[in-house]
């Protein structure tokens, strides 16, 4: 591993030189045509190979319905020209929200979701052409151990005890775990939420299984007793049964996606996808098995991620220049973090075959994203280039890439972690640098409030 460094590349040659010096596997190409090609996803066709990853704003109405900020965000994402819009985490039950203002679709507000979806598609057509219609996938979630549905107090719903994570959410060794009966009931809740999403006009739903939320942790619940823990068959049971229930509720034409953690970077027996002796070594055995299983179950779109953005190794998920408060700088170069994510995605895409996988880890590369993304697609490493934090900062990047073959360096995400910091501080989030007139004051407000709460402890 090399030492951590901030982004400092003035041109592609400098980036290529550093990649060579580090000996990491990151391809670059000036042929950007792979980004322009349509991508078939189940019964749908995305007009290009650029995707907006699910970026939560923590800014819906208290009942989960879309706010003005939510509508603004998706108008900007849709107008930006991406071929796939992977909408943010939408809670399936109130107690499973990660924050007070997490998105949540109900029978009472489904019409509001239909309205903003129609507006988003209209904006995509207005700015990118009448035939430009992105695929819209809504991410369904239960926050599990990170549930905080009201106020600032965590109310964790954890499937297993974890000596590293339990103290961070207020769990003790004798705190009760979520019951099998509760999990049984949640299967139907996912199916109901998927039906509402279909009624609202979404093309599909993602059964979220990443970043240590409920399903992600169930996949790693080696120490849990009963039908949802222990062996791989049991640990994957809940996800498999949710997929089956969603399919029965929505029919064959509706797209089911799954964004899952392929590598937790968390010690055995509390993590998934890692070597039992070395938490930093990716073991593809179970992630490959899970990928094949998802494909067999009819999942038509996959996204993979890694790590836990709310623990002490957020670079595993989101390589950065500057850390959030209390997070140490990693003992690796950000390009090593990027290369790890690329390698994991390649492994998943290989197992997925013709089912497209959305790549991740691109944002740190800034204006050089197109060159790495095109190379990843051309080599079979992924089918879509996923833009996460980059989309907060630069929502119209896909249109610039497709029309001009370049990104504007002055509009790119600078990996400052401030969007993550706002979430950690329990606030509404976006890009503090490129969207400063809205999120600059919010960043200051929530930082001050969080520090005041900490001072009272």
């Amino acid at each position: 591993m090399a030492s951590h460094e901030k982004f400092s590349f003035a041109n592609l040659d400098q980036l290529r030189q550093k990649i060579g010096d580090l000996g990491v596997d990151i391809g670059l190409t000036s042929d950007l045509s792979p980004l322009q090609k349509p991508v078939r996803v189940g019964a749908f066709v995305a007009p290009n190979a650029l995707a907006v990853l699910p970026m939560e704003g923590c800014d819906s109405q208290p009942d989960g319905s879309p706010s003005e900020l939510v509508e603004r965000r998706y108008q900007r994402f849709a107008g930006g020209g991406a071929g796939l819009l992977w909408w943010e985490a939408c809670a399936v039950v109130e107690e499973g929200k990660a924050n007070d203002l997490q998105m949540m679709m109900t029978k009472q507000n489904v019409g509001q979701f239909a309205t903003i979806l129609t507006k988003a598609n209209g904006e995509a057509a207005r700015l990118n052409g009448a035939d430009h219609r992105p695929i819209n996938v809504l991410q369904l979630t239960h926050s599990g151990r990170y549930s905080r549905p009201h106020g600032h107090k965590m109310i964790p719903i954890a499937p297993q005890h974890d000596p590293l994570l339990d103290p961070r959410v207020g769990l003790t060794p004798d705190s009760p775990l979520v019951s099998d009966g509760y999990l049984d009931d949640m299967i139907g809740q996912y199916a109901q939420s998927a039906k509402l999403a279909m009624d609202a006009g979404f093309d599909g739903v993602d059964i979220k299984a990443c970043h240590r939320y409920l399903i992600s942790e169930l996949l790693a619940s080696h120490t849990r007793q009963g039908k949802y823990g222990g062996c791989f068959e049991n640990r994957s049971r809940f996800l498999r049964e949710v997929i089956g229930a969603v399919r029965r509720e929505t029919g064959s034409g509706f797209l089911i996606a799954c964004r899952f953690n392929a590598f937790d970077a968390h010690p055995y027996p509390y993590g998934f996808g890692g070597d039992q002796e070395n938490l930093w070594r990716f073991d593809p055995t179970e992630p490959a098995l899970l990928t094949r299983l998802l494909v067999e179950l009819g999942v038509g779109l996959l996204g993979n991620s890694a790590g836990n953005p709310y623990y002490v190794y957020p670079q595993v998920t989101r390589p950065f220049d500057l850390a959030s408060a209390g997070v140490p700088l990693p003992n690796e170069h950000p390009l090593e973090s990027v290369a790890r994510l690329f390698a994991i995605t390649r492994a998943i895409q290989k197992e997925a075959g013709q089912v497209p996988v959305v790549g991740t880890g691109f944002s740190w590369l800034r204006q050089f994203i197109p060159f790495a993304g095109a190379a990843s697609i051309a080599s079979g490493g992924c089918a879509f280039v996923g833009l996460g934090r980059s989309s907060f900062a630069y929502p119209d990047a896909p249109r610039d890439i497709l029309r001009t073959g370049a990104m504007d360096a002055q509009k790119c995400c600078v990996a400052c972690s401030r969007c993550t910091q706002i979430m950690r501080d329990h606030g509404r989030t976006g890009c503090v640098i490129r969207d400063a007139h809205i999120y600059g004051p919010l960043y200051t407000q929530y930082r001050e409030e969080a520090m005041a709460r900490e001072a009272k402890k």
Side-chain angles (χ1 to χ4, degrees):
M1 289 185 176
S3 59
H4 182 271
E5 293 180 3
K6 293 180 181 180
F7 183 96
S8 61
F9 308 108
N11 54 59
L12 196 60
D13 286 339
Q14 290 181 7
L15 175 60
R16 187 176 284 112
Q17 179 66 49
K18 189 65 178 183
I19 289 171
D21 291 345
L22 293 172
V24 294
D25 189 1
I26 298 175
L28 300 170
T29 180
S30 297
D31 177 9
L32 304 187
S33 61
L35 304 176
Q36 301 169 342
K37 295 178 181 178
V39 182
R40 176 162 291 281
V41 183
F44 306 94
V45 177
N48 58 63
L50 294 161
V52 173
L53 291 172
M55 295 301 298
E56 187 177 355
C58 311
D59 56 4
S60 294
Q61 301 289 0
D63 69 346
S65 58
S67 66
E68 290 183 3
L69 281 175
V70 171
E71 181 173 333
R72 175 183 184 269
R73 180 161 57 259
Y74 286 97
Q75 293 264 9
R76 283 156 58 89
F77 287 169
L84 169 64
L85 297 188
W86 203 314
W87 291 56
E88 69 192 73
C90 183
V92 298
V93 288
E94 180 76 17
E95 71 272 16
K97 284 185 172 183
N99 57 78
D100 307 62
L101 302 181
Q102 185 164 49
M103 185 180 285
M104 182 175 171
M105 192 180 300
T106 66
K107 292 179 181 179
Q108 290 71 38
N109 66 21
V110 62
Q112 296 177 57
F113 281 90
T115 296
I116 69 162
L117 179 56
T118 298
K119 288 182 177 179
N121 284 333
E123 189 73 351
R126 184 180 75 83
L127 292 176
N128 304 294
D131 59 346
H132 184 104
R133 200 267 197 199
I135 298 174
N136 291 281
V137 175
L138 179 67
Q139 185 175 75
L140 301 182
T141 190
H142 186 301
S143 298
R145 75 164 48 245
Y146 292 117
S147 295
R148 184 177 56 81
H150 305 293
H152 300 293
K153 180 178 175 56
M154 303 293 293
I155 307 179
I157 302 173
Q160 70 172 351
H161 283 296
D162 183 320
L164 294 177
L165 300 183
D166 281 3
R168 301 172 72 89
V169 296
L171 288 174
T172 63
D174 57 354
S175 295
L177 299 175
V178 63
S179 69
D180 284 0
Y182 180 89
L183 294 173
D184 291 341
D185 291 342
M186 281 304 101
I187 294 168
Q189 294 292 337
Y190 275 89
Q192 290 177 30
S193 294
K195 180 60 165 60
L196 289 172
M198 184 172 70
D199 292 344
F202 285 93
D203 301 310
V205 292
D206 160 31
I207 311 304
K208 184 178 184 179
C210 59
H211 301 161
R212 210 61 183 189
Y213 295 113
L214 181 66
I215 300 180
S216 175
E217 186 157 20
L218 279 168
L219 290 170
S221 289
H222 300 273
T223 64
R224 182 182 175 86
Q225 303 298 308
K227 65 180 181 180
Y228 292 118
C231 66
F232 176 81
E233 180 181 3
N234 285 355
R235 286 182 281 115
S236 64
R237 185 187 306 277
F238 183 78
L239 176 56
R240 290 185 283 111
E241 294 197 0
V242 166
I243 292 169
V246 168
R247 177 59 70 214
R248 290 189 295 273
E249 188 68 30
T250 60
S252 60
F254 194 64
L255 177 64
I256 298 177
C258 186
R259 189 166 192 241
F260 68 94
N261 252 33
F263 174 57
D264 285 350
H266 202 64
Y268 182 85
Y270 310 107
F272 181 77
D275 183 88
Q276 293 188 16
E277 303 299 325
N278 181 355
L279 70 88
W280 289 106
R281 184 180 297 125
F282 173 54
D283 181 348
T285 306
E286 286 197 343
L289 181 58
L290 180 63
T291 302
R292 294 192 297 270
L293 180 62
L294 293 172
V295 171
E296 291 170 5
L297 290 171
V299 171
L301 175 67
L302 293 170
N304 67 272
S305 189
N308 180 341
Y310 310 109
Y311 188 45
V312 294
Y313 307 129
Q315 77 278 3
V316 178
T317 308
R318 301 168 183 158
F320 56 78
D321 275 9
L322 299 174
S324 300
V327 173
L329 287 178
N331 294 319
E332 64 181 16
H333 194 282
L335 283 171
E336 293 177 305
S337 306
V338 171
R340 180 193 299 114
L341 286 164
F342 284 12
I344 293 169
T345 303
R346 280 197 299 272
I348 300 305
Q349 183 65 81
K350 181 179 179 181
E351 297 295 335
Q354 297 303 307
V355 172
V357 178
V358 181
T360 188
F362 291 95
S363 288
W364 189 83
L365 296 171
R366 294 166 171 78
Q367 67 267 30
F368 304 116
I369 290 171
F371 309 104
S376 294
I377 294 173
S379 66
C382 63
F384 283 96
V385 173
L387 304 175
R389 294 167 298 165
S390 176
S391 295
F392 270 163
Y394 192 173
D396 50 340
R399 186 168 65 249
D400 283 355
I401 293 168
L402 296 170
R403 291 186 178 180
T404 70
M407 291 174 67
D408 183 344
Q410 299 305 310
K411 296 168 71 175
C412 290
C413 167
V414 295
C416 67
S417 297
R418 292 185 182 181
C419 58
T420 299
Q421 187 64 59
I422 298 180
M423 292 185 70
R424 286 172 174 252
D425 291 340
H426 303 174
R428 294 169 291 172
T429 194
C431 184
V432 177
I433 305 300
R434 306 303 188 195
D435 213 359
H437 69 291
I438 292 179
Y439 295 102
L442 290 175
Y443 174 82
T444 300
Q445 172 191 336
Y446 294 125
R447 256 298 54 214
E448 291 174 350
E449 291 175 357
M451 289 188 291
R453 287 195 303 272
E454 189 63 28
K456 290 179 180 180
K457 290 182 178 180

